């Protein structure tokens, strides 16, 4: 039996994690969970899974749910509560599925508490990858990828030696606007941007996918998870999202991981690694039915956010922190209808141009740069 703490239980990854747990009640027990504002889904999960500890984002949410929770469930609110859920003493494994860099401190505290971590929350690795990976190494904690591309690479690397890797090839769907020119992006709507062709995901990552910042964040995530230099990480457009990523080795052999687009597969693999369990609900891949798979090189002038991410990653230090914080603020503003789609990349560019990177930053410096960047981007909106 694995005891699980799940941060972000009401989100897209959170709900699919609960489905995986639901399918394997003998193997997994939810002992702690967190959610933000979604009282309805939060209470549903509490009543079904009966975790011992629940963290919610705010006092208002706490007040709304406290009398509807069974008495023996400990409910708290705020950032400290999120850390308490992440480090819950009975949990063996943390699944970090919150959105944004709010996941950073809980991740670091969970590593210190020697919890293995299934990492969905990619912003944490982007904003402070050197600190998270150094912490994990020092405390001998496993960081298990959940992101579909990184799970694919992780699976391709099983039994392989790191020294034999030539390059990683991250596949990208191209997002909601993959067939549009830059001119056609001028007046796209929020609804159009939220219409991802292959994956049903939370709003923020769906917009990231449309700008291809998602792939940029994933390049940085791959750099940290697999200790590989940026010039050995490539992005390949593959509109079907059937090949989830590939690894090329020195001998020219390429290993790929395939499957229908279903996040429950990588989520479950992170929970069962190095074993595999059956997964009843996933649609099986039928390549004869798929017929043709498409591949295309990326145009970095069309997808400028991807270019910004490579550049920020290569500069390193606090530059990816700025990239991430500016992106979080800009996407939030787009989702609120305050800025246009193309303004997202403009705001990020402004923030990057203004910043002088601090090399090998401390956690305090990362948190400070994150706040300054957010304030700067907000001042431009
Ligand atoms: N969705 C997907 O298929 C994939 C997602 N990822 C990554 O996984 C992470 C989660 O994505 P996704 O599930 O789509 O996101 P969602 O927006 O669907 O869910 C986010 C979760 O975090 C909670 N949350 C949001 N803000 C806060 C906060 N300030 N404090 C505490 N909790 C908060 C939300 O609570 P509530 O809703 O109750 O307010 C919700 O439970 C992201 O980093 C994303 O990039 C990676 C690969 C695929
Ligand atoms: C499911 C998943 O892992 C997402 O991050 C996915 O990769 C989004 O697809 P694109 O960013 O390739 O559009
Ligand atoms: Mn992904």
């Amino acid at each position: 039996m694995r005891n699980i703490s799940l941060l972000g239980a009401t989100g897209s990854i959170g709900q699919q994690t609960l489905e995986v747990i639901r399918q394997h009640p003998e193997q997994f027990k939810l002992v702690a969970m967190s959610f933000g504002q979604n009282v309805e889904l939060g209470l549903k999960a509490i009543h079904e899974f009966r975790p011992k500890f629940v963290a919610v984002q705010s006092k208002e949410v706490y007040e709304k749910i406290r009398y509807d929770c069974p008495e023996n469930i400990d409910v708290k609110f705020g950032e400290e509560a999120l850390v308490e859920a992440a480090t819950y003493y009975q949990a063996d494994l943390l699944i970090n599925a919150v959105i944004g860099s709010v996941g950073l401190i809980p991740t670091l505290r969970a590593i210190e508490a020697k919890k293995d971590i299934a990492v969905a929350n990619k912003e944490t690795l982007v904003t402070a990858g050197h600190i998270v990976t150094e912490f994990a190494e020092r405390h001998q904690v496993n960081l298990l990828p959940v992101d579909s591309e990184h799970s694919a690479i992780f699976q391709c690397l099983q039994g392989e030696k790191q020294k034999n890797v030539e390059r990683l090839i991250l596949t990208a769907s191209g997002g909601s606007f993959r067939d549009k020119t830059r001119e056609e992006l001028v007046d796209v709507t929020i609804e159009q941007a939220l219409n991802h062709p292959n994956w049903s995901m939370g709003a923020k990552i769906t917009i990231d996918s449309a700008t291809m910042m998602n792939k940029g964040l994933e390049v940085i995530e791959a750099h940290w998870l697999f200790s590989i230099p940026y010039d050995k990480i490539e992005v390949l457009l593959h509109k079907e999202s059937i090949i989830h990523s590939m690894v090329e080795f020195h001998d020219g052999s390429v290993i790929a991981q395939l499957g229908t687009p279903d996040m429950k597969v990588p989520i479950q693999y992170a929970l069962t690694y190095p074993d595999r369990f059956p997964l009843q609900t996933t649609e099986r891949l039928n390549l004869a039915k798929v017929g043709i798979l498409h591949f295309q090189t990326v145009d970095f002038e069309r997808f400028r956010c991807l270019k910004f991410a490579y550049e920020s990653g290569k500069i390193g230090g606090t530059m990816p922190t700025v990239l991430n914080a500016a992106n979080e603020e800009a996407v939030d503003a787009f989702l609120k209808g305050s800025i246009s789609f193309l303004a997202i990349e403009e705001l990020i560019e402004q923030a990057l141009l203004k910043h002088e990177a601090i090399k090998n930053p401390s956690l305090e410096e990362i948190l400070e740069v994150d706040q300054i960047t957010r304030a700067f981007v907000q001042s431009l909106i």
Side-chain angles (χ1 to χ4, degrees), residues 88-380:
Y88 192 66
Y89 74 104
Q90 284 184 350
D92 316 309
L93 176 82
L94 166 68
I95 302 171
N96 190 343
V98 289
I99 191 95
S101 60
V102 68
L104 174 60
I105 301 294
T107 297
L108 295 177
R109 297 289 94 85
I111 294 173
E112 283 172 336
K114 288 201 169 292
K115 312 287 181 195
D116 281 339
I117 304 185
V119 184
N121 176 229
K122 63 188 88 182
E123 293 88 353
T124 284
L125 277 170
V126 173
T127 199
H130 66 296
I131 296 179
V132 175
T133 49
E134 191 273 321
F135 256 53
E137 207 169 305
R138 185 162 14 122
H139 294 280
Q140 297 195 316
V141 155
N142 292 311
L143 297 177
L144 299 153
V146 169
D147 209 339
S148 62
E149 295 76 4
H150 305 74
S151 175
I153 290 166
F154 187 58
Q155 293 178 55
C156 296
L157 288 174
Q158 293 305 307
E160 300 291 344
K161 293 196 167 104
Q162 172 88 7
K163 72 177 176 71
N164 294 333
V165 173
E166 181 80 22
R167 60 183 178 139
L168 307 182
I169 304 162
L170 292 181
T171 50
S173 77
S176 328
F177 302 136
R178 66 185 174 205
D179 299 322
K180 286 196 188 295
T181 61
R182 279 189 70 76
E183 294 67 43
E184 289 170 330
L185 294 178
V186 171
D187 52 6
V188 289
T189 66
I190 301 170
E191 290 68 33
Q192 287 172 314
L194 285 174
N195 189 20
H196 194 284
N198 305 333
W199 299 95
S200 166
M201 309 183 287
K204 191 260 179 183
I205 185 177
T206 307
I207 303 304
D208 285 347
S209 173
T211 60
M212 278 265 255
M213 179 58 92
N214 183 46
K215 215 47 57 182
L217 301 178
E218 291 183 350
V219 166
I220 299 173
E221 184 184 10
H223 167 78
W224 290 115
L225 281 176
F226 304 112
S227 306
I228 195 136
Y230 287 101
D231 58 7
K232 292 189 169 192
I233 306 174
E234 288 187 24
V235 172
L236 179 68
L237 280 168
H238 163 50
K239 67 179 181 182
E240 291 85 6
S241 301
I242 295 288
I243 295 182
H244 298 307
S245 278
M246 300 177 249
V247 179
E248 183 182 323
F249 296 89
H250 290 325
D251 60 2
S253 190
V254 177
I255 299 186
Q257 189 261 340
L258 287 74
T260 56
D262 181 350
M263 278 308 294
K264 290 191 290 306
V265 178
I267 291 170
Q268 179 170 290
Y269 187 67
L271 300 191
T272 61
Y273 171 80
D275 206 349
R276 288 181 190 270
F277 290 175
L279 189 56
Q280 309 300 344
T281 49
T282 199
E283 189 191 333
R284 301 290 150 159
L285 179 61
N286 180 338
L287 280 176
K289 208 165 129 196
V290 173
I292 298 171
L293 297 178
H294 295 82
F295 304 98
Q296 213 181 317
T297 51
V298 179
D299 174 353
F300 285 90
E301 288 313 313
R302 163 67 180 79
F303 295 106
R304 294 183 69 227
C305 286
L306 182 57
K307 187 171 77 171
F308 298 157
Y310 267 108
E311 287 168 354
S312 304
K314 284 179 186 169
I315 293 168
T318 45
M319 219 46 151
T321 309
V322 171
L323 178 90
N324 180 68
N327 182 55
E328 284 191 31
E329 290 303 315
V331 171
D332 188 54
F334 173 70
L335 284 168
K336 286 178 175 147
S338 311
I339 61 168
S340 70
F341 182 73
L342 283 175
I344 297 174
E345 63 182 40
E346 282 158 21
L347 289 170
I348 297 166
E349 187 173 30
Q350 295 282 321
L352 291 171
L353 285 171
K354 189 167 182 285
H355 184 66
E356 205 164 307
I358 304 168
K359 279 193 185 139
N360 202 19
S362 65
L363 179 60
E364 290 67 33
E365 286 170 320
I366 297 256
L367 297 175
E368 194 185 343
V369 167
D370 178 276
Q371 287 309 312
I372 290 170
T373 304
R374 286 171 195 273
F376 173 70
V377 171
Q378 280 166 15
S379 76
L380 299 179

Side-chain angles (χ1 to χ4, degrees), residues 4 20 22 72 83-84 170 172 240 246 287 374:
I4 289 174
V20 168
R22 194 178 281 124
N72 58 351
V83 169
E84 203 171 330
L170 292 181
E240 291 85 6
M246 300 177 249
L287 280 176
R374 286 171 195 273

